[in-house]
Amino acid sequence: METHQLTFLIGGMDCAGCARSVEQGVAQIAGVQACELHFTTERLHIEGTVSASAIIQRVQDLGFTATVYTSGMSTESSTLAIDDSALMAAPPGFLAFLWNRTTTRLALVGVLFILPGLVFHELLHYSGNLSWLIDLTSLVALLVAGLPVAQSAWRSVVINRDLNINALMTLAALGAVLIGATTEAGMVMVLFAIGEALEGYTASRARHSIRSLMQIAPSTATRLHMHEQHTHEERVPVTALCVGDRILVRPGERIAVDGRVLAGESAVNQAPITGESRLIEKQPGAELFAGSINGEGSLEVEVTNLAADSTISRMIRLVEEAQERRAPVQRMVDQFARWYTPVVVILAILVASIPPLVFGQPFWNPAPDVFGWFYRALTLLVVACPCALVISTPVSLISALSAAARAGILIKGGNYLEALSRITTIAFDKTGTLTLGQPTLVGVRSATCATGSGNIGDCAACDDLLALANAIERRSEHPLAQAITSASNTRGLDQRYAATNVTALVGRGVQGSVDGHEILIGSHTYFDAAIAHTPEDCAQAAQDAQAGFTPVFVSADGTYRGTLTVADQIRSTSHTAIAQLRQLGLRAVMLTGDAQATASRIASEIGVTDIRAELLPEQKVAAIRDLQRQYGAVAMVGDGINDTPALAAANVGIAISATHGGTSQAMETADITLLSDDLQRLPLAIELSRAAISTVRFNIAFSIAIKIAFLLLVVLGMGTMWMAVLADVGTSLLVTLNGMRLLRYRASNTNN
């Protein structure tokens, strides 16, 4: 039989222990080669020759539900599926949550029956003639609330050959009945059942906060059908849209798919995708992300990606995959929990037997307020519940991953989040990372300039020189030409002159005719050989080149007319981001293939002192390894495509998503992707990773501390079973809520 992969959605799990029980039971089925269940996503992944019906039956035998998980758009899309519709609904209030499930409904009934025993026996210490009736109500509470717990314990023992927490609670309750602590036995079961339900409720709230990310993109769009006489509008599901379709986005609507503006102008809020707080102006030709919110103008948009391949769909899929990637600290806790419970069971047996047998201590309770060693051993079984410890890690990591995604930071898993928290050095590519990667006109010097400043727009002669160059260069696709034409358009000079007979001079420049004059545009080197110019002009060009700029010379009819200076512009956020990283104690290094002069100019402006220039791709990899030897863990920040070798060599590879076509590649390449070009997302990512790992460590330490404290209380005879259950429930709730705080995390030194 052919090996295949199946994914199931598992229902009814209240804690990570439930997930482990299902995973163990399913792994024992013949034909299952690999089995992994993630409590945070409720997804069970199976590989093998086993049938789906066999998996569903085994899960049901263990007391849970299973449905085959399918994706609604394509096999690669994580956007809403048939099985996802129920997931998207917000969980009801706690009481409604309890009443909607049979097991928790029984726990609510148990609360009513345990009240007489709690009031009369535990608080008022009543021991009159009606004590038997109060004990009877406690037994009813025990049976009603404890039946689902005992059933789960039995299934685990029979199917998994494992003593889970439900088995321990059942043994403790039966032992309490045996020694006459009926009310306490009932309280243990009722509190445990309510506590498990409370864990399940908080976990469902956390899942909903994470899954609400999927609601960013709308499910329908307005498709336009263009006819000769009119335009027909049709509301269709996003799954029906094809690449090239034309859609209408009205003011205030969410953009349904990735696209390109064909007509209209508007300011778009891209914060749901990129985390940018400012509105982004969109004009014809501009790219749009699905899930962005349109402003006050209507836009006609050409679909550029299918809904299944849109940025938001890829983002959701990668976030879901990230939820299922365990961090090293989480794997450590899971392994610890596997031997933790058996060890406590052995310890409980020793506590019950050694003091009575060796030291002559009482086995049974010698008096109502004095606990024997059998009771202390039973209480120890209750204390053994590892729920708080096991849930302390995944909720924190998943909350941090979700918070990062909402801020436009895509982290591919808890392992990368943990690795990011340990980074000591960050290496940056220059072009396209610290700079825009697009040449920009930064200076114009006409030979007849009145001011001599070289600043754009300072004199009419400089404007005329720029307009003349634009007439020739607007026929070219060269990056330097685009810088000149862009500046000319901004200055309103694009229509001043028209050029004819434009010819490219390969490796030297471009020439053409403007109003009967032969215009030549070329490099300094070419003009040194072909066109006379003054020593001062030559010296200025050499100085510009030394500073990392590119001088472009212009002549008319063989006479030098002036110089245009082009340079790669620094990102507006680079300097601030570097300063913030330095405040976080990180070292910044620039790795670039550019000349030393250019690298030094950029580095001095943004505050980087460690520069390694003129590097080939393999030399960047060597530089990363050298930094790792010197300083420890290193992150590499690049564009995600041409820096792939260095990104792979670093401990953490971080890509800045390109706004024009590079998003998909960047997402797939790097461990972490910044979905906007705002480098201040990087300090936020660092702070969030550190906060997440600190939260995990606190939760683990707090859970273990509570366990140790109650173990000591139990051994000293000062702890009761119901107190132990209450403490465990409270601890589980506290670590869950503490982890969920990361969903609303805001960095201390960024404007987010």
Side-chain angles (χ1 to χ4, degrees):
M1 192 172 180
E2 187 178 350
T3 299
H4 53 257
Q5 294 181 340
L6 297 170
T7 301
F8 299 85
L9 195 65
I10 307 301
M13 296 188 298
D14 288 326
C15 66
C18 299
R20 188 157 61 93
S21 179
V22 173
E23 192 175 76
Q24 286 178 342
V26 171
Q28 296 173 11
I29 302 175
V32 174
Q33 299 171 2
C35 169
E36 192 170 21
L37 173 58
H38 301 275
F39 173 65
T40 50
T41 60
E42 298 180 298
R43 280 190 222 159
L44 172 66
H45 299 287
I46 300 293
E47 183 176 346
T49 57
V50 66
S51 66
S53 58
I55 299 295
I56 292 173
Q57 185 60 53
R58 174 55 59 89
V59 174
Q60 290 175 345
D61 291 342
L62 289 166
F64 303 92
T65 62
T67 51
V68 177
Y69 181 86
T70 56
S71 181
M73 289 195 174
S74 75
T75 55
E76 297 183 355
S77 173
S78 297
T79 313
L80 285 181
I82 297 172
D83 296 325
D84 285 334
S85 57
L87 296 179
M88 297 310 300
F94 182 53
L95 289 178
F97 177 83
L98 293 178
W99 194 253
N100 286 340
R101 302 196 303 177
T102 302
T103 56
T104 49
R105 195 180 304 145
L106 291 173
L108 285 176
V109 175
V111 170
L112 298 176
F113 280 99
I114 200 63
L115 285 176
L118 176 63
V119 173
F120 289 100
H121 277 344
E122 296 298 323
L123 298 180
L124 301 179
H125 302 289
Y126 174 79
S127 58
N129 295 331
L130 296 177
S131 291
W132 66 272
L133 183 58
I134 298 172
D135 288 340
L136 181 61
T137 59
S138 296
L139 279 174
V140 172
L142 171 64
L143 292 173
V144 170
L147 182 61
V149 178
Q151 287 177 331
S152 174
W154 177 252
R155 295 187 190 106
S156 180
V157 170
V158 172
I159 297 175
N160 293 347
R161 304 291 190 270
D162 178 50
L163 281 177
N164 63 9
I165 184 58
N166 292 326
L168 299 186
M169 287 296 172
T170 303
L171 290 174
L174 292 176
V177 172
L178 183 64
I179 63 176
T182 310
T183 299
E184 197 156 2
M187 288 178 63
V188 165
M189 277 303 184
V190 170
L191 286 174
F192 177 71
I194 296 294
E196 286 284 285
L198 186 58
E199 285 186 38
Y201 177 71
T202 54
S204 68
R205 298 291 297 185
R207 291 190 193 105
H208 177 69
S209 296
I210 296 162
R211 286 173 179 149
S212 62
L213 182 69
M214 301 180 196
Q215 293 175 313
I216 289 175
S219 58
T220 60
T222 302
R223 181 163 56 190
L224 299 177
H225 296 279
M226 313 300 292
H227 301 286
E228 293 182 3
Q229 302 297 328
H230 65 280
T231 300
H232 173 65
E233 297 181 6
E234 177 189 14
R235 198 71 182 172
V236 297
V238 293
T239 52
L241 295 175
C242 300
V243 174
D245 280 353
R246 195 180 188 113
I247 64 172
L248 174 66
V249 183
R250 295 183 174 88
E253 279 189 337
R254 283 189 182 271
I255 297 163
V257 289
D258 289 354
R260 182 181 300 107
V261 178
L262 294 177
E265 296 183 3
S266 186
V268 173
N269 179 5
Q270 296 184 164
I273 310 301
T274 66
E276 294 169 290
S277 58
R278 63 189 178 91
L279 297 177
I280 309 298
E281 295 292 334
K282 299 293 183 179
Q283 298 175 339
E287 303 287 336
L288 295 173
F289 291 125
S292 301
I293 303 170
N294 188 23
E296 297 181 352
S298 291
L299 297 174
E300 291 187 16
V301 179
E302 179 188 7
V303 177
T304 56
N305 282 317
L306 296 176
D309 299 322
S310 68
T311 300
I312 184 61
S313 293
R314 288 174 178 271
M315 181 176 167
I316 290 169
R317 188 186 77 242
L318 292 173
V319 169
E320 288 176 338
E321 291 173 357
Q323 294 175 28
E324 298 183 352
R325 237 182 229 119
R326 291 186 174 118
V329 66
Q330 184 175 347
R331 290 195 295 268
M332 179 195 71
V333 169
D334 290 344
Q335 290 298 320
F336 177 74
R338 290 181 185 275
W339 57 261
Y340 168 78
T341 301
V343 165
V344 175
V345 172
I346 295 172
L347 182 61
I349 295 173
L350 295 176
V351 167
S353 57
I354 291 180
L357 293 176
V358 178
F359 301 104
Q361 296 292 312
F363 182 75
W364 307 103
N365 290 358
D369 295 329
V370 180
F371 301 132
W373 288 96
F374 181 62
Y375 178 88
R376 300 184 196 192
L378 295 176
T379 308
L380 199 59
L381 291 179
V382 176
V383 174
C385 178
C387 293
L389 181 65
V390 174
I391 205 171
S392 62
T393 303
V395 170
S396 301
L397 294 179
I398 299 308
S399 296
L401 292 172
S402 180
R406 291 176 186 279
I409 305 164
L410 193 60
I411 303 175
K412 288 189 177 178
N415 49 340
Y416 300 118
L417 189 73
E418 185 173 349
L420 186 63
S421 71
R422 296 195 299 265
I423 292 299
T424 62
T425 303
I426 300 185
F428 291 88
D429 173 51
K430 181 187 74 68
T431 306
T433 302
L434 293 171
T435 66
L436 295 176
Q438 299 173 347
T440 304
L441 188 71
V442 296
V444 180
R445 288 190 304 274
S446 170
T448 58
C449 178
T451 66
S453 69
N455 296 324
I456 301 173
D458 272 7
C459 75
C462 291
D463 276 355
D464 193 64
L465 177 67
L466 177 58
L468 196 62
N470 172 73
I472 302 295
E473 295 286 20
R474 64 187 177 197
R475 303 283 188 90
S476 172
E477 294 296 325
H478 193 281
L480 295 182
Q482 293 176 13
I484 292 170
T485 57
S486 176
S488 181
N489 292 341
T490 301
R491 296 283 302 153
L493 306 173
D494 50 314
Q495 300 300 322
R496 181 176 293 188
Y497 295 114
T500 58
N501 302 323
V502 176
T503 304
L505 306 175
V506 179
R508 295 176 293 174
V510 62
Q511 68 181 13
S513 298
V514 176
D515 292 343
H517 300 284
E518 289 299 316
I519 307 300
L520 174 65
I521 301 175
S523 66
H524 180 204
T525 302
Y526 179 51
F527 267 58
D528 275 346
I531 304 294
H533 50 280
T534 67
E536 291 77 10
D537 295 323
C538 193
Q540 184 62 56
Q543 183 180 336
D544 288 343
Q546 183 65 28
F549 298 110
T550 301
V552 178
F553 280 40
V554 182
S555 70
D557 297 328
T559 302
Y560 171 76
R561 290 287 303 272
T563 303
L564 308 177
T565 307
V566 178
D568 189 3
Q569 287 288 81
I570 296 173
R571 289 189 188 274
S572 59
T573 56
S574 293
H575 184 274
T576 304
I578 295 297
Q580 290 172 350
L581 291 172
R582 190 174 291 112
Q583 290 174 8
L584 294 174
L586 296 171
R587 180 179 293 99
V589 181
M590 180 192 291
L591 306 181
T592 179
D594 273 356
Q596 184 69 45
T598 303
S600 297
R601 177 182 66 82
I602 298 294
S604 64
E605 290 188 38
I606 63 174
V608 174
T609 56
D610 193 342
I611 311 160
R612 306 190 183 193
E614 302 177 15
L615 300 179
L616 297 174
E618 60 269 23
Q619 292 173 319
K620 286 188 179 182
V621 173
I624 291 291
R625 290 177 177 154
D626 182 55
L627 291 171
Q628 289 169 329
R629 284 191 295 270
Q630 290 185 65
Y631 306 118
V634 174
M636 173 67 190
V637 186
D639 63 12
I641 301 173
N642 59 354
D643 290 311
T644 299
L647 289 170
N651 299 86
V652 179
I654 304 173
I656 294 182
S657 168
T659 56
H660 296 286
T663 302
S664 301
Q665 297 91 327
M667 282 186 178
E668 303 296 339
T669 302
D671 306 322
I672 298 173
T673 301
L674 308 182
L675 295 179
S676 76
D677 59 5
D678 182 359
L679 282 177
Q680 292 183 86
R681 302 285 157 201
L682 188 54
L684 170 60
I686 298 290
E687 287 199 54
L688 181 56
S689 69
R690 292 179 178 180
I693 300 305
S694 295
T695 300
V696 166
R697 288 171 179 162
F698 173 83
N699 283 348
I700 292 173
F702 181 68
S703 302
I704 292 176
I706 294 297
K707 295 293 179 190
I708 293 174
F710 263 87
L711 284 173
L712 293 175
L713 288 174
V714 167
V715 172
L716 294 174
M718 300 170 62
T720 64
M721 281 191 285
W722 68 269
M723 287 171 55
V725 175
L726 198 60
D728 186 74
V729 171
T731 304
S732 298
L733 181 60
L734 287 175
V735 298
T736 300
L737 294 177
N738 189 41
M740 289 177 65
R741 288 190 309 111
L742 294 167
L743 286 168
R744 297 180 296 276
Y745 183 82
R746 293 292 182 272
S748 61
N749 62 356
T750 58
N751 299 320
N752 295 293

